[in-house]
Structure formats: C-alpha cells, structure tokens
Amino acid sequence: FSFRKLWAFTGPGFLMSIAYLDPGNIESDLQSGAVAGFKLLWVLMLATIIGLLLQRLAARLGVVTGLHLAEVCNRQYQKVPRIILWLMVELAIIGSDMQEVIGSAIAINLLSVGKIPLWGGVLITIADTFVFLFLDKYGLRKLEAFFGFLITIMALTFGYEYITVKPDQKKLLQGLFIPYCQNCGTPQLEQAVGIVGAVIMPHNMYLHSALVKSRQVNRANKREVQEANKYFFIESCIALFVSFIINIFVVTVFAEAFFEKTNVDVNAVCVNASSPHSSLFPSNNETLEVDIYKGGVVLGCYFGPAALYIWAIGILAAGQSSTMTGTYSGQFVMEGFLNLRWSRFARVLLTRSIAITPTLLVAIFQDVEHLTGMNDFLNVLMSLQLPFALIPVLTFTSLPSVMNDFANGLFWRIAGGVLILLICSINMYFVVAYVMSLNHLALYIGAGILSVIYLSFVVYLV
C-alpha cells in the first residue's frame, strides 16, 4: 500500500460522492430526522453501503475496459433500446439538475433575507454555467480541488449545526446499529423508502465509470489494473464515508431539535424570536413538516440567525457542486450513447435551460411550498430511472467477454441481482405511494399504462 499512489488516484470518488450530498439528499435527511427521529439512521448507512458496492462495479468497468458505461451500452445494445436508455438517463440528469436549481434558489432567498425572490435565485443559478466552464479550462485536477473545497464547506456548515444542537449520542448510536423502527407507521416507512431513492442516483454510475478513465492505467498489465481497482475502491470508501458523516449531521440535528414538534410549538418560538417567517407555521397541533426552506427557518428561530445563514451556505454549496457533476454526467452520457461530441458550453446550456424553465415558472407563479413539492416529484422520477443504470452495470461487469479475468464471480452476480431487485421493489413502492396520494382516477389509469410499458423495458434489459 502506498499513500502516494492513493493520492494519485484520489479525485474521481470525491466527484462521485457529491451526488450523495445534493439538495434532494439533504431534504430527505432533514425529513427523516423530523419524522422518525434517530430511528432511520441504519437505513441511511445501509443505503450508503449499497451505493458504495454499486459504485465499485461502475469504477471497475471503466478501469478494466477503458470505456465508460454509456460507451459499453452503445456497443452492446441495439439502436432502439439504446436510444430509450439514453432518454431515461437524460431524464434523470435533468431531474437532478432541477433539484440543484431549487436548492440553490432557496439558499439564495434565505441568504438575502427574502430580498431576492425565488425566481431571482433560479435566474442566478444560470451563472453556475460560467463558473463551471471557467474552472473546466484549468484541467480536471483543479476542478477536483474545487469540489473538495465545496465538500469542506458542507462539512463545516452542517457540522456547525450539529455542534450547536448537540444531538443525543446514545440515541445516535442506537439508530445507526439497531435495525429496528419502534412505533413506526406509514410516514416513517415512506421516509425510509425515500432515503434509498435519494441516496442511490442513476446517472452517478455513468459518471463514476467515466471519471476513472482520467488516470493512466496500462490495461495490458493485469497487476496495474488490479492496483487501480484497489486504490479507486479505497478512495470511494473514504469519499462516501465523508458524505455519510455530513448526512448524519443533518439527520441528527433535525431528529434532536424537531422530532414530534407541532406547528404551534414552532410558531410560538418563531414569534418570540421576531422571525419574519413565523406565518409559515399555522397555530395548530399538526406535526411539523419541514423541507429545505422551512428547515433553515426553524433553525434560525430556535438557534439564532447565524444557524439559518450557515444552513443556507451549506445548501448553496450542495447545489453548486452537484450542478457540475450533473453536467459532467450529461456530457459522458451523450458522447457514449450517441457518439455526439458537443462543446461543454452547449451541453451545459441545453440541460440548464431544460431544468430552469419549469422551475422558473413554478417559482414565479407559486410559492416555496410548491417548489419543495416539486422536489418530491423529482425524487420519484429519479427512483424510476434507477434500473436503467443498475441493470446495465451489473450485466456488463458479469460478462467475461467485456471484463475478461475481472468479470464478477457467482457471489457478486447473486448479491448484485438481489440488491437491484430490492432497490427496484423499494422504488416501485415509493412511486405507487406517490401516485395514490394524488387521488385522481385518470392519473391512476395513466400510471397503470406507463407502468406496463416501463416494466416491459426493464424485463427486456434483464
């Protein structure tokens, strides 16, 4: 083992780990803490471990073949399924980009004390495009360093909230290592499913398999390939451990401070703190429901304005960093599936335009409640796209014709198949629960027809 070699391979794993810290994940974390307290921490840990194992497969595919997942799909699938697969992955990327836009707009609104409206925050996120392109000119290593800086900001800001709130350490450890949820009902179960859906992102498999190609490896030398696989896996473990700790900060802060709180409790505290946002919480005995926006507000009411602004800085860092990884994913996916090489500028402009248009319309004509409700829909959308990354990555890493001596053994094939079945089942439950909550017959019929088409394509891939 050599620390020098590990440093040389460090970078791709941290860029990949950003997807585990995007605004959608942060919202899932804070809702988990507020709805279930410390009881679902073990689900978060399990989802992160499953994510790590799947990222290992994606990285191995890139290292061994010298091709990323989209390029292998291009070689292995016929034209029609290949285009459908590309469209599904693009949907996931656009959905993820919309979440980043929403998170950044809310953070800007909080930081400006409401002076910059949500639609203004959405427009400001266009500037991300130019920041990304400016950094990209200086090479991947500089970009990796910038991502490291943004992850550090998230660790410091959410760590500050953790130290301020002082969660109960005994409950934290029990939540992590006792896989049980006492007195849990449907809301807690839905939250557990939401955690899995938010943590494992489909386009991240495509991204990680491409990022590992940035390091020179002699693929004719089996020992060098083994060494690269080893160091990339160690780096991924470290990167996902850091993201897991940051996620724990968010869950435990809201579990300690806001679990089983009612609207009237929070309203009273916000009124006493002279918060301009106290009207967000009606004076009733319903259980408090939080999202990224309300989360920052309640932190400000209970722990002072500094807690609100530091929270907003963390959310802004999460939004900015995940925007850039989404752009990279889109670039690799388009090049791989279609053999289409666009300039980064054109690519960023396209996805950002598609992501901003609906978000901007909601921000102009609706309020922050509808903006965060949009986040729930996007989580469902990305849950649906998961099989279109997981099935190809397991299939190709199990084929000796693709991986040669590095093909998955029987254990990995069985374990991978069970994992994918579990994740897809969980996500289908999540989708069914979401459609049922819409409570409209026409939507049920539409969802039923789409489900048949969707499941037929999944079966084809299997």
Side-chain angles (χ1 to χ4, degrees):
F1 177 81
S2 159
F3 279 105
R4 191 175 175 182
K5 279 185 180 173
L6 178 61
W7 177 247
F9 284 102
T10 295
F14 279 92
L15 263 71
M16 167 275 295
S17 74
I18 290 289
Y20 292 73
L21 293 167
D22 74 344
N25 263 304
I26 302 298
E27 182 153 318
S28 171
D29 290 340
L30 64 90
Q31 286 173 346
S32 163
V35 168
F38 296 88
K39 296 172 192 172
L40 295 179
L41 282 171
W42 63 274
V43 178
L44 177 65
M45 182 164 74
L46 205 61
T48 308
I49 292 168
I50 291 170
L52 173 65
L53 297 177
L54 294 169
Q55 296 298 158
R56 174 184 179 267
L57 293 180
R60 280 170 69 85
L61 182 73
V63 170
V64 173
T65 63
L67 302 169
H68 56 72
L69 183 53
E71 289 172 327
V72 180
C73 287
N74 191 346
R75 286 188 173 194
Q76 298 287 333
Y77 290 126
Q78 298 294 320
K79 186 177 180 181
V80 173
R82 189 171 76 231
I83 289 172
I84 295 170
L85 203 56
W86 169 68
L87 288 171
M88 293 297 104
V89 180
E90 286 290 356
L91 259 181
I93 292 166
I94 290 163
S96 173
D97 206 35
M98 284 173 74
Q99 283 190 316
E100 276 105 54
V101 171
I102 290 168
S104 298
I106 288 171
I108 291 164
N109 181 266
L110 286 170
L111 284 170
S112 66
V113 203
K115 287 188 172 64
I116 297 176
L118 288 168
W119 60 265
V122 170
L123 289 175
I124 288 170
T125 60
I126 295 170
D128 294 348
T129 310
F130 303 104
V131 171
F132 172 75
L133 292 166
F134 173 75
L135 286 166
D136 195 47
K137 279 195 335 191
Y138 292 94
L140 191 62
R141 211 63 173 145
K142 300 278 193 308
L143 197 64
E144 288 169 354
F146 181 64
F147 278 113
F149 170 68
L150 290 173
I151 292 171
T152 306
I153 288 177
M154 281 185 265
L156 292 173
T157 51
F158 298 134
Y160 169 85
E161 309 289 1
Y162 180 84
I163 291 163
T164 304
V165 176
K166 301 183 183 70
D168 186 318
Q169 300 302 300
K170 186 183 173 187
K171 285 183 182 174
L172 191 160
L173 292 171
Q174 282 175 340
L176 268 180
F177 298 109
I178 300 173
Y180 181 64
C181 191
Q182 193 174 9
N183 302 323
C184 287
T186 306
Q188 287 79 13
L189 180 62
E190 285 180 0
Q191 200 54 56
V193 171
I195 289 169
V196 177
V199 166
I200 302 165
M201 306 284 269
H203 60 279
N204 221 25
M205 307 291 151
Y206 290 88
L207 176 69
H208 200 191
S209 65
L211 290 171
V212 294
K213 288 170 61 183
S214 62
R215 303 304 192 265
Q216 291 298 317
V217 177
N218 178 9
R219 289 177 179 84
N221 185 329
K222 189 177 174 181
R223 189 175 157 278
E224 267 197 49
V225 174
Q226 282 175 327
E227 194 175 64
N229 281 331
K230 178 178 82 173
Y231 284 113
F232 278 129
F233 182 61
I234 293 168
E235 188 228 2
S236 296
C237 289
I238 296 166
L240 286 189
F241 179 72
V242 171
S243 72
F244 175 60
I245 294 297
I246 294 171
N247 282 320
I248 279 184
F249 285 162
V250 179
V251 176
T252 53
V253 161
F254 283 85
E256 182 66 40
F258 308 114
F259 178 51
E260 292 185 331
K261 286 276 193 299
T262 61
N263 283 326
V264 71
D265 296 335
V266 177
N267 181 280
V269 174
C270 285
V271 168
N272 287 338
S274 303
S275 168
H277 306 287
S278 52
S279 59
L280 278 172
F281 311 100
S283 294
N284 59 38
N285 286 318
E286 287 181 20
T287 307
L288 173 70
E289 288 183 10
V290 283
D291 47 48
I292 291 177
Y293 186 78
K294 283 184 180 175
V297 170
V298 290
L299 284 170
C301 291
Y302 276 78
F303 304 103
L308 186 153
Y309 295 125
I310 289 168
W311 168 259
I313 291 166
I315 297 296
L316 192 61
Q320 299 309 290
S321 53
S322 43
T323 290
M324 296 185 198
T325 55
T327 303
Y328 255 126
S329 303
Q331 186 78 15
F332 296 133
V333 163
M334 185 177 272
E335 287 176 5
F337 276 111
L338 306 181
N339 282 327
L340 193 62
R341 295 192 177 273
W342 278 20
S343 71
R344 287 254 158 83
F345 182 82
R347 171 72 216 180
V348 178
L349 215 57
L350 175 70
T351 51
R352 183 41 57 98
S353 303
I354 295 169
I356 274 183
T357 306
T359 317
L360 188 61
L361 290 171
V362 174
I364 291 170
F365 297 110
Q366 300 288 349
D367 54 13
V368 73
E369 293 292 318
H370 290 85
L371 207 56
T372 48
M374 202 171 170
N375 232 340
D376 296 337
F377 168 74
L378 293 171
N379 275 337
V380 171
L381 178 72
M382 277 182 287
S383 299
L384 281 170
Q385 309 310 319
L386 265 175
F388 307 125
L390 304 190
I391 295 169
V393 83
L394 180 65
T395 303
F396 300 141
T397 52
S398 300
L399 289 175
S401 58
V402 174
M403 298 290 284
N404 301 318
D405 295 339
F406 293 93
N408 294 332
L410 184 63
F411 170 78
W412 267 100
R413 289 205 294 273
I414 293 169
V418 170
L419 275 182
I420 288 168
L421 190 64
L422 177 70
I423 291 165
C424 293
S425 303
I426 284 172
N427 282 302
M428 283 312 292
Y429 170 85
F430 190 35
V431 172
V432 168
Y434 178 78
V435 172
M436 294 295 282
S437 70
L438 298 174
N439 206 19
H440 198 288
L441 182 63
L443 290 172
Y444 294 164
I445 295 166
I449 294 165
L450 286 173
S451 297
V452 171
I453 298 166
Y454 172 83
L455 290 171
S456 302
F457 188 58
V458 170
V459 168
Y460 167 81
L461 288 180
V462 172

